[in-house]
Amino acid sequence: MDIRPILVGYDASPDARAALRWALDEGDRTSTPVLLAHAFDWYVDPMWLASGAGGWSDTEARADISAMLASAVEDAETTHPGVDVTARILDGPAQVCLRDLSADAALIVVGGRGTGGFAELLIGSTAVSVSAHAHCPVVVVRAGTAEATGDVVVGVDGSPCSLVALEFAFERAATYQTTLRVIQTWTPPSTRFVPQGLSLLTISRNIARTIHGDLDDMVADWRQKYPQVPTSTHVHTGSAAAQLVAASDHARLVVVGSRGRGSISGTFLGSVGQELIHHSHCPVAIVREVAQSAAG
């Protein structure tokens, strides 16, 4: 039975190197092979073609990319001799290549910013495409965060994607033998909607108590499945992005669903995703589906 690899979008940029380090550590920890992939997608200026120039060979460019990947594999074999590391050059846009390969991957690991085939990989439309359509979790690693230590943090809101993210977070916390913080945020009602004779403080406390109880119920089955994972639940008011970024300061991984509702609606499709990509103090996992650890 073949083990699904950890797929790394690699272009030798600082963030890509950080992503590779994270992936190698994960591969070493979980006995999972690592596959480096570089997207080869030339842009040809229409004016250049209109000038009547003949066909141009990409042999030299491909040779440079092959050398870059070979060097990365060689370094990886030195630092992580127990990990099976291979590399591939892919033809086409990065987001399409990663989406297609994700069907047979355990994880996709990418840097927050790149160059060449993976330039601006998680900025703009490509981020939406990868996080919304990948068939396995996507982990975003920025330079300086690959070796973050601490607990695992997961943001939930009860949506289907956040429940899948919760499962992934428990799995990672068990693998890392660390604690798990489950965070949900909500927005207090406006004073103009408070019935006469009741205080906003009283209403807010009652709402928060109800949300916390529902959150504990949501987590209960996973606590039983992973009794070795110390788990705490937290309900906060205000911005989900701000709370998750703050929590990442003492975390080794922040986990969110690719789509949500309520407090984290549009995660990685809007402002919350952008905040985490740019400001998280640790790697960020975007989960739409949890891939099986081995291919059937």
Side-chain angles (χ1 to χ4, degrees):
M1 188 161 57
D2 295 330
I3 302 297
R4 293 174 182 260
I6 298 172
L7 175 63
V8 182
Y10 190 77
D11 62 7
S13 65
D15 279 15
R17 290 196 295 269
L20 176 57
R21 287 195 299 273
W22 190 94
L24 290 171
D25 288 344
E26 187 76 3
D28 198 22
R29 188 182 298 109
T30 60
S31 300
T32 305
V34 172
L35 171 62
L36 280 67
H38 182 94
F40 189 80
D41 186 27
W42 278 103
Y43 168 75
V44 180
D45 189 333
M47 294 301 295
W48 186 85
L49 291 177
S51 68
W56 124 61
S57 172
D58 58 13
T59 302
E60 183 177 348
R62 284 184 178 272
D64 289 342
I65 293 170
S66 294
M68 174 192 70
L69 293 175
S71 177
V73 170
E74 183 178 359
D75 290 344
E77 290 173 342
T78 299
T79 60
H80 296 75
V83 181
D84 179 18
V85 184
T86 56
R88 287 179 60 183
I89 298 176
L90 310 171
D91 290 295
Q95 66 269 34
V96 175
C97 294
L98 291 178
R99 182 198 64 200
D100 292 346
L101 284 182
S102 72
D104 297 311
L107 292 171
I108 296 177
V109 186
V110 292
R113 294 177 182 271
T115 59
F118 287 91
E120 300 299 310
L121 179 59
L122 283 163
I123 304 299
S125 62
T126 305
V128 175
S129 177
V130 172
S131 62
H133 301 295
H135 301 292
C136 66
V138 179
V139 178
V140 185
V141 184
R142 291 186 299 111
T145 67
E147 299 178 0
T149 59
D151 55 11
V152 174
V153 173
V154 58
V156 300
D157 62 4
S159 65
C161 269
S162 79
L163 297 179
V164 177
L166 182 62
E167 176 185 1
F168 181 84
F170 265 100
E171 291 175 351
R172 299 270 63 75
T175 299
Y176 301 149
Q177 298 182 341
T178 191
T179 58
L180 174 64
R181 278 185 287 164
V182 184
I183 294 176
Q184 184 167 357
T185 64
W186 68 287
T187 302
S190 170
T191 54
R192 67 175 179 270
F193 297 115
V194 176
Q196 188 174 5
L198 294 177
S199 71
L200 179 60
L201 179 60
T202 299
I203 293 176
S204 295
R205 284 176 175 172
N206 289 338
I207 294 175
R209 190 179 299 114
T210 299
I211 293 174
H212 211 148
D214 291 343
L215 182 59
D216 284 334
D217 290 342
M218 184 193 309
V219 172
D221 289 343
W222 293 108
R223 279 176 163 154
Q224 292 181 0
K225 185 175 180 179
Y226 293 94
Q228 75 276 31
V229 177
T231 306
S232 61
T233 55
H234 307 267
V235 174
H236 301 293
T237 59
S239 163
Q243 292 292 345
L244 292 173
V245 169
S248 75
D249 193 31
H250 301 288
R252 65 187 301 160
L253 183 69
V254 172
V255 184
V256 291
S258 61
R259 296 175 185 268
R261 67 180 181 218
S263 297
I264 56 173
S265 177
T267 295
F268 283 90
L269 302 177
S271 61
V272 174
Q274 293 297 322
E275 287 290 323
L276 286 171
I277 288 171
H278 293 295
H279 302 297
S280 176
H281 303 286
C282 68
V284 179
I286 311 113
V287 185
R288 176 174 174 264
E289 299 181 17
V290 176
Q292 298 297 316
S293 59

